[in-house]
Amino acid sequence: PLSFLLSKFPKINFMFPRKAIRLIGVYINHHEAHFFAPDNGSQQESSIESGIERQIRFPGETGNGMYLGNFRSTNNEHHRHNRENEILKRYFKALSARLKDYDAIVVLGPRILLHRFQNHLQNEKTFNTKKCLFKQHDKMTETEFQLAVKEYKKEMLGELL
């Protein structure tokens, strides 16, 4: 009976339609993240700032990180490291909240930050089912970034067909 239907209606596709895979590319560095989502025909771009500054000055801190006033306080390396880690955690949470709606994610950026973000995504259960690709790139122009995401999209579509 199926061959009869195929001979009678050859243009009918009896297969179930595949769900469209949503892809996004992210270029991250310590200061901001750039997003690029190449959808069918349209291209969406946006960015998120990390909040990490190059030279951080907290209130009451002088050039060497010590303030000796009425209360003795120091800004030693341990405290500074903890503050930077907290800022980085908030940055990664904002990034993962932005990426959770996509099926495939391409993350480009410097090696150390990329590794830390990969560990953050592995700890979140929502990203266990998503296809993530991490590639190291220290510096990229905007056009190089967009081309890399488009190439990955072509590779991924080739694997599905």
Side-chain angles (χ1 to χ4, degrees):
L2 185 61
S3 61
F4 171 75
L5 287 174
L6 288 175
S7 65
K8 201 107 161 121
F9 306 104
K11 294 182 181 177
I12 295 176
N13 186 2
F14 289 100
M15 301 295 290
F16 292 104
R18 291 184 187 159
K19 179 184 170 190
I21 295 176
R22 296 186 63 205
L23 170 76
I24 190 165
V26 185
Y27 179 78
I28 60 173
N29 58 29
H30 282 83
H31 306 291
E32 61 186 347
H34 297 280
F35 300 97
F36 176 67
D39 291 332
N40 297 332
S42 66
Q43 299 175 357
Q44 303 168 355
E45 297 179 33
S46 61
S47 63
I48 292 179
E49 290 189 13
S50 68
I52 298 174
E53 300 175 10
R54 290 183 187 259
Q55 188 169 2
I56 302 172
R57 297 272 193 229
F58 294 102
E61 179 180 86
T62 60
N64 64 359
M66 296 182 106
Y67 179 74
L68 302 173
N70 293 336
F71 300 100
R72 182 176 182 91
S73 65
T74 63
N75 189 17
N76 61 19
E77 188 176 345
H78 176 71
H79 292 276
R80 182 179 292 266
H81 182 70
N82 284 342
R83 288 183 194 139
E84 289 175 3
N85 280 341
E86 287 300 317
I87 293 171
L88 206 56
K89 281 182 187 178
R90 280 187 263 137
Y91 178 45
F92 288 163
K93 283 183 184 180
L95 287 175
S96 58
R98 174 79 166 80
L99 298 174
K100 69 180 179 182
D101 297 332
Y102 292 90
D103 303 317
I105 303 165
V106 182
V107 185
L108 308 166
R111 181 179 56 89
I112 295 172
L113 187 65
L114 205 64
H115 182 68
R116 291 180 76 176
F117 186 57
Q118 184 177 10
N119 289 341
H120 173 77
L121 289 183
Q122 286 176 350
N123 291 334
E124 291 196 19
K125 293 180 182 179
T126 57
F127 289 94
N128 290 342
T129 59
K130 300 181 186 308
K131 187 172 184 178
C132 298
L133 175 72
F134 295 87
K135 288 188 177 181
Q136 175 188 347
H137 286 282
D138 289 333
K139 293 183 180 180
M140 281 186 112
T141 63
E142 190 173 325
T143 54
E144 289 174 340
F145 167 56
Q146 291 175 358
L147 285 174
V149 174
K150 287 178 182 178
E151 286 176 15
Y152 177 70
K153 183 176 183 178
K154 287 179 185 175
E155 288 176 18
M156 190 177 66
L157 290 175
E159 290 175 5
L160 293 175
L161 296 177

